[in-house]
């Protein structure tokens, strides 16, 4: 379906030519097709393969990462201790205040353990910010283009975090946000207040009650049960809240914005193909706090076109943003006028002919 069909080679000969030519030939053909507006799809099995270089635990960077992990583990243990307290008090109080049948309608639903996988997904991505920035800038300084691929934008963190957890006040656009992983641990602490209650919503044709499960939070203080619970656990919550909120992990809650800001600060142009609507912007190189800002979303086709035409040096994309797009790169020249291949080329034996 492209002009490759005009090469007048049989299928087997064409395949053999590309095998011999390797990546250099693929890049050369890709660039030529891009110039005339023709797209291609190239796939490579990458399952279980990574070029990411993990830090050795014997290096300063490795020890720093271990220290951050220890801090997060200690914060999660505080959340776990409070979670157990809430669970125990919840079970005891509902037996005290309600009959056995009524107590069955109340179920605690605030176990933070169910969110532990998110906790460490966020944490691991945050740990990779420095390495991602350094490797990206290193490649671009060599004249190559970079695509930073992430599994998740983590935008939901902005929904989960609160400007004021105690009074349940959410962040709004323009607010200053603490860009530290401890903020997510505060969300987990607040998550332990969740419980459900089954209530009668209507009756069926036989006059039997139709029940529905309603999600509630103990710190809403809307019922006698909730007020009694907060009397029992409120002091412990204040204690753990103060300990977590005054701790700094040193891992960003919005890694994608740290990466973008630092790459732009190094003088390169960055585009983003994701569906997120909010982002953090920074007034300086101090990335410990950011301003919650509405993200200007550009059409994917425009960003891909700009990338292919070398008007963007780096693209940040997530899994959904990567669907159905074709990105290439036209070779550029370095300061000495030498042509630089757009990717890190592994040079096999060149083919005798196309």
């Amino acid at each position: 379906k492209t002009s490759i069909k005009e090469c007048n080679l049989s299928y087997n000969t064409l395949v053999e030519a590309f095998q011999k030519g390797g990546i250099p030939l693929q890049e050369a053909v890709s660039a030529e097709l891009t110039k005339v507006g023709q797209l291609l799809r190239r796939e490579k099995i990458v399952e279980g393969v990574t070029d990411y270089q993990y830090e050795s635990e014997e290096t300063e960077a490795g020890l720093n990462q271990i220290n951050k992990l220890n801090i997060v583990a200690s914060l999660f243990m505080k959340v776990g201790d409070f979670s157990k307290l809430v669970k125990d008090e919840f079970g005891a109080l509902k037996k005290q205040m309600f009959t056995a049948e009524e107590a069955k309608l109340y179920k605690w639903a605030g176990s933070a353990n169910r969110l532990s996988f998110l906790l460490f997904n966020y944490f691991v991505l945050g740990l990779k910010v420095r390495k991602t920035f350094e490797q990206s800038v290193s490649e671009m300084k060599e004249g190559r283009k970079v695509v930073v691929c992430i599994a998740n934008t983590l935008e939901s963190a902005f929904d989960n975090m609160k400007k004021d957890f105690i009074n349940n006040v959410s962040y709004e656009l323009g607010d200053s946000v603490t860009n530290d992983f401890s903020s997510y641990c505060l969300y987990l602490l607040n998550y332990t207040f969740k419980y459900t209650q089954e209530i009668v919503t209507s009756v069926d044709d036989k006059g039997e009650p139709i029940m529905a499960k309603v999600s509630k939070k103990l710190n809403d203080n809307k019922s006698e049960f909730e007020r009694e619970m907060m009397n029992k656990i409120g002091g412990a919550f204040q204690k753990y809240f103060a300990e977590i909120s005054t701790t700094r992990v040193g891992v960003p809650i919005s890694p994608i914005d740290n990466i973008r800001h630092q790459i732009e600060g190094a003088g390169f142009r960055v585009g983003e193909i994701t569906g997120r609507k909010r982002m953090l912007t920074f007034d300086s190189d101090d990335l410990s706090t950011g301003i919650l800002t509405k993200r200007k979303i550009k059409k994917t086709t425009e960003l891909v076109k700009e990338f292919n035409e070398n008007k963007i040096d780096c693209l940040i994309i997530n899994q959904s943003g990567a669907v159905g797009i074709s990105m290439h790169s036209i070779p550029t020249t370095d300061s000495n006028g030498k042509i630089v291949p757009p990717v890190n080329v592994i040079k096999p034996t060149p083919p005798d002919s196309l």
Side-chain angles (χ1 to χ4, degrees):
K1 296 182 179 180
T2 68
S3 54
I4 292 179
K5 64 184 179 182
E6 299 173 10
C7 68
N8 199 29
L9 295 177
S10 68
Y11 175 81
N12 291 335
T13 305
L14 181 63
V15 171
E16 184 180 358
F18 273 101
Q19 288 175 338
K20 287 182 177 180
I23 294 178
L25 178 59
Q26 293 173 28
E27 286 297 328
V29 174
S30 171
E32 291 301 316
L33 291 175
T34 303
K35 288 179 182 178
V36 294
Q38 298 181 19
L39 305 180
L40 67 150
R41 177 178 179 134
R42 183 171 55 206
E43 294 186 356
K44 181 180 180 181
I45 299 175
V46 295
E47 185 177 351
V49 178
T50 177
D51 292 327
Y52 183 78
Q53 301 297 313
Y54 289 91
E55 301 288 356
S56 167
E57 61 183 40
E58 298 176 355
T59 65
E60 181 180 352
L63 292 172
N64 182 44
Q65 290 187 357
I66 292 173
N67 179 58
K68 290 176 179 178
L69 178 59
N70 287 336
I71 294 174
V72 170
S74 68
L75 296 183
F76 192 63
M77 287 177 66
K78 294 179 189 296
V79 173
D81 291 342
F82 182 68
S83 178
K84 184 178 184 306
L85 172 66
V86 176
K87 179 181 179 181
D88 293 344
E89 292 291 352
F90 187 93
L93 185 62
K94 73 176 185 178
K95 289 180 180 179
Q96 177 183 330
M97 292 187 63
F98 308 118
T99 65
E101 288 301 313
E102 290 173 335
K104 291 179 181 179
L105 304 178
Y106 291 76
K107 294 186 183 300
W108 179 65
S111 174
N113 287 333
R114 68 181 66 182
L115 299 179
S116 59
F117 74 98
L118 282 177
L119 175 83
F120 289 102
N121 278 350
Y122 285 16
F123 177 74
V124 170
L125 180 56
L127 274 185
K128 295 181 178 181
V129 167
R130 182 186 63 82
K131 178 73 76 174
T132 301
F133 159 68
E134 290 178 351
Q135 288 187 329
S136 298
V137 170
S138 176
E139 288 290 315
M140 287 184 284
K141 284 182 176 179
E142 293 293 324
R144 300 187 182 99
K145 310 290 282 297
V146 171
V147 179
V148 178
C149 306
I150 58 173
N152 194 319
T153 64
L154 310 184
E155 185 186 14
S156 61
F158 296 138
D159 298 319
N160 297 331
M161 295 187 302
K162 300 288 183 181
K163 187 176 182 179
D164 183 348
F165 277 105
I166 296 176
N167 296 306
N168 199 30
V169 179
S170 299
Y171 280 111
E172 296 181 356
L173 295 177
D175 285 340
S176 178
V177 178
T178 300
N179 187 30
D180 189 87
F181 197 75
S182 57
S183 298
Y184 188 75
C185 294
L186 288 177
Y187 157 67
L188 294 181
L189 189 72
N190 190 66
Y191 184 86
T192 60
F193 289 136
K194 294 185 68 173
Y195 75 100
T196 62
Q197 179 185 354
E198 290 191 62
I199 61 174
V200 178
T201 57
S202 59
V203 294
D204 60 20
D205 295 338
K206 298 181 180 179
E208 296 294 330
I210 298 176
M211 310 295 290
K213 187 180 293 185
V214 179
S215 296
K216 296 185 175 184
K217 297 194 70 175
L218 295 170
N219 57 343
D220 286 339
N221 287 310
K222 293 181 179 180
S223 67
E224 183 180 358
F225 177 74
E226 292 174 356
R227 288 188 287 271
E228 282 297 319
M229 273 296 299
M230 291 308 298
N231 286 337
K232 292 178 177 294
I233 64 175
F237 173 77
Q238 295 282 1
K239 171 181 174 292
Y240 287 119
F241 184 90
E243 291 176 355
I244 295 175
S245 60
T246 55
T247 301
R248 289 294 174 266
V249 178
V251 173
I253 197 67
S254 185
I256 194 172
D257 291 319
N258 282 49
I259 294 171
R260 173 190 52 78
H261 179 83
Q262 292 181 84
I263 292 177
E264 289 177 342
F268 296 99
R269 300 158 297 182
V270 182
E272 180 182 332
I273 301 178
T274 70
R276 66 180 189 142
K277 299 178 181 178
R278 292 160 296 175
M279 62 184 290
L280 289 185
T281 57
F282 308 98
D283 295 330
S284 67
D285 290 334
D286 179 12
L287 307 182
S288 60
T289 58
I291 304 300
L292 188 61
T293 308
K294 183 178 180 181
R295 190 174 79 86
K296 296 179 181 179
I297 301 177
K298 207 169 186 178
K299 290 184 178 179
T300 299
T301 51
E302 292 180 15
L303 286 167
V304 171
K305 183 174 183 292
E306 290 178 1
F307 183 85
N308 291 344
E309 295 175 351
N310 290 341
K311 295 177 181 178
I312 290 178
D313 304 301
C314 173
L315 266 180
I316 301 175
I317 64 175
N318 65 347
Q319 286 180 326
S320 59
V323 174
I325 63 176
S326 182
M327 293 183 296
H328 315 279
S329 184
I330 301 171
T332 57
T333 57
D334 62 17
S335 57
N336 298 319
K338 180 182 177 181
I339 294 179
V340 179
V343 296
N344 190 7
V345 173
I346 302 172
K347 299 179 179 178
T349 302
D352 296 328
S353 67
L354 182 58

